[in-house]
Amino acid sequence: MFAAYAARTSPDDPLSALELGEVPEPEARPGWSVVTVRAATLNHHDLWSLRGVGLPAERLPMVLGCDAAGVDEDGNEVVIHSVVGQSGHGVGPHEPRSILTERYQGTFAQRVAVPTWNLLPKPAELSFEQAACLPTAWLTAYRMLFTNAGVKPGDTVLVQGAGGGVSTALVVLAKAAGLRVWVTGRDEAKRARAVELGADAAFESGARLPERVDAVLETVGAATWSHSVKSLRPGGTIVISGATSGPNPKAAELNRIFFLELKVVGSTMGSKEELAGLLALCANAGVRPVIDSVLPLADAREAFARLERGDVFGKLVLTPDAAAGRRRSAPTRPRGRPGS
């Protein structure tokens, strides 16, 4: 089957490690299902995998992709929850939690095998492309807001970094929850688009805000950390789920954190139950993921390059297309057999 996979890893040039071509079909096993992928979406996790973060050499080659929506063997339209190992369903009860592509082959392929427990029904109200956006970036945003931020309707939240998958999800979900939403960003066009999505105001990165906020939703890391801390009201909360600009800010701001009794909460992905809640919210409240563009899987290299440049607003979606894949990319067989 046709797939986009990490044939090797390269910390400095991740795209050089990306290959497109034929890989073995996923193997059936007890308690697992094989899903025909209709749509899958990119995340920064995929770039980190190409750099070798969380993906040791002995697990290569590895089909990339955490998120997907598709059809199972019984013809059911499903969405894949990409966290494997937290429940013991389909894997050993003591297996540590991981995300697809850290231990198991991912979704940038025509078919993928996952524990049957990890499948949720796709709401009829959502297209395959829309549903595929939800399991990582949108689930991360959902957990940040509704589980970890401690905010209520009418509160003000600051979303650092307009344009990314998690950031755009935060804007849409926060507005749907009755929050006042402010965003920051370096790019004027992306700030304007965030306002179109529902943000109440957009500011340049690092700009002084009109007032302090109840919570900051942080995915950027080092570049915005000091601004995040200084933007919080006393007793406010920073929820951090990523550090795309690096994990080591110039100053930890410890004095401000303890003196103003600020809370710093780490947040990673979300549970299957939270994904079910997110799917229901989208289906029932008319909330829809922000899609930058939809590309055939054969054009995965272009999509990865755009993600690496930051040339995205919302989610990049890939749709497997065997004919296009074979026409546009010469098949290359990876060394070894991907683990199922």
Side-chain angles (χ1 to χ4, degrees), residues 290-295 302 306 312-318:
V290 182
I291 294 176
D292 178 289
S293 52
V294 179
L295 300 169
E302 174 188 341
R306 287 186 57 196
V312 217
F313 190 89
K315 297 294 292 179
L316 291 165
V317 181
L318 298 176

Side-chain angles (χ1 to χ4, degrees), residues 45 57 65 70 97 121 123 135-137 167 183 196 206 213 218 220 225 227 236 252 257-258 304 325 333:
H45 177 78
R97 182 179 66 175
T136 295
S167 298
V183 301
E196 291 174 4
V213 301
E218 171 68 81
V220 179
W225 180 254
H227 185 252
I257 289 172
F258 76 71
F304 270 86
R333 182 167 295 279

Side-chain angles (χ1 to χ4, degrees), residues 73-330:
E73 301 108 316
D74 298 321
N76 301 306
E77 296 184 352
V78 295
V79 180
I80 295 173
H81 177 49
S82 62
V83 180
V84 178
Q86 66 178 1
S87 65
H89 292 270
V91 298
H94 302 297
E95 180 171 319
R97 182 179 66 175
S98 64
I99 300 174
L100 280 180
T101 76
E102 291 178 339
R103 292 175 178 270
Y104 300 101
Q105 301 298 312
T107 60
F108 293 166
Q110 292 169 289
R111 283 164 291 282
V112 62
V114 297
T116 304
W117 184 86
N118 284 64
L119 300 181
L120 291 93
K122 181 186 78 66
E125 294 86 351
L126 299 179
S127 69
F128 284 105
E129 292 82 3
Q130 291 168 338
C133 296
L134 300 178
T136 295
W138 278 68
L139 179 58
T140 296
Y142 184 92
R143 182 175 179 83
M144 290 175 76
L145 270 173
F146 301 125
T147 302
N148 291 325
V151 289
K152 60 186 182 303
D155 284 351
T156 301
V157 298
L158 173 65
V159 178
Q160 293 282 24
V166 176
S167 298
T168 52
L170 285 166
V171 170
V172 175
L173 291 173
K175 199 61 186 174
L179 299 164
R180 182 168 64 160
V181 186
W182 292 347
V183 301
T184 66
R186 293 174 298 175
D187 185 279
E188 182 178 358
K190 289 183 178 180
R191 294 197 302 271
R193 292 191 65 183
V195 172
E196 291 174 4
L197 282 181
D200 295 280
F203 307 91
E204 292 185 11
S205 295
R208 185 180 180 88
L209 303 181
E211 61 186 70
R212 292 180 181 175
V213 301
D214 298 288
V216 179
L217 305 165
E218 171 68 81
T219 61
V220 179
T224 55
W225 180 254
S226 289
H227 185 252
S228 292
V229 175
K230 293 172 183 176
S231 297
L232 269 182
R233 65 163 174 79
T237 302
I238 297 175
V239 183
I240 179 168
S241 70
T244 55
S245 66
N248 300 310
K250 293 180 180 178
E253 310 286 351
L254 294 180
N255 288 349
R256 183 178 291 267
I257 289 172
F258 76 71
F259 187 74
L260 296 179
E261 296 187 313
L262 307 181
K263 293 180 283 292
V264 179
V265 180
S267 190
T268 300
M269 289 290 289
S271 67
K272 179 183 176 182
E273 292 73 23
E274 286 168 323
L275 179 55
L278 172 60
L279 287 165
L281 173 65
C282 291
N284 299 330
V287 173
R288 294 294 180 267
V290 182
I291 294 176
D292 178 289
S293 52
V294 179
L295 300 169
L297 180 59
D299 291 344
R301 187 173 299 280
E302 174 188 341
F304 270 86
R306 287 186 57 196
L307 184 65
E308 186 183 34
R309 293 195 305 266
D311 181 21
V312 217
F313 190 89
K315 297 294 292 179
L316 291 165
V317 181
L318 298 176
T319 54
D321 183 330
R326 293 187 175 91
R327 183 171 62 251
R328 300 183 191 186
S329 302

Side-chain angles (χ1 to χ4, degrees), residues 25-65:
E25 292 278 348
E27 297 179 357
R29 64 170 78 179
W32 287 55
S33 293
V34 175
V35 175
T36 298
V37 178
R38 295 289 181 83
T41 57
L42 267 74
N43 294 284
H44 279 280
H45 177 78
D46 301 306
L47 281 174
W48 287 113
S49 295
L50 289 171
R51 293 186 174 102
V53 177
L55 183 57
E58 60 267 22
R59 294 180 188 157
L60 296 172
M62 178 63 75
V63 176
L64 299 170

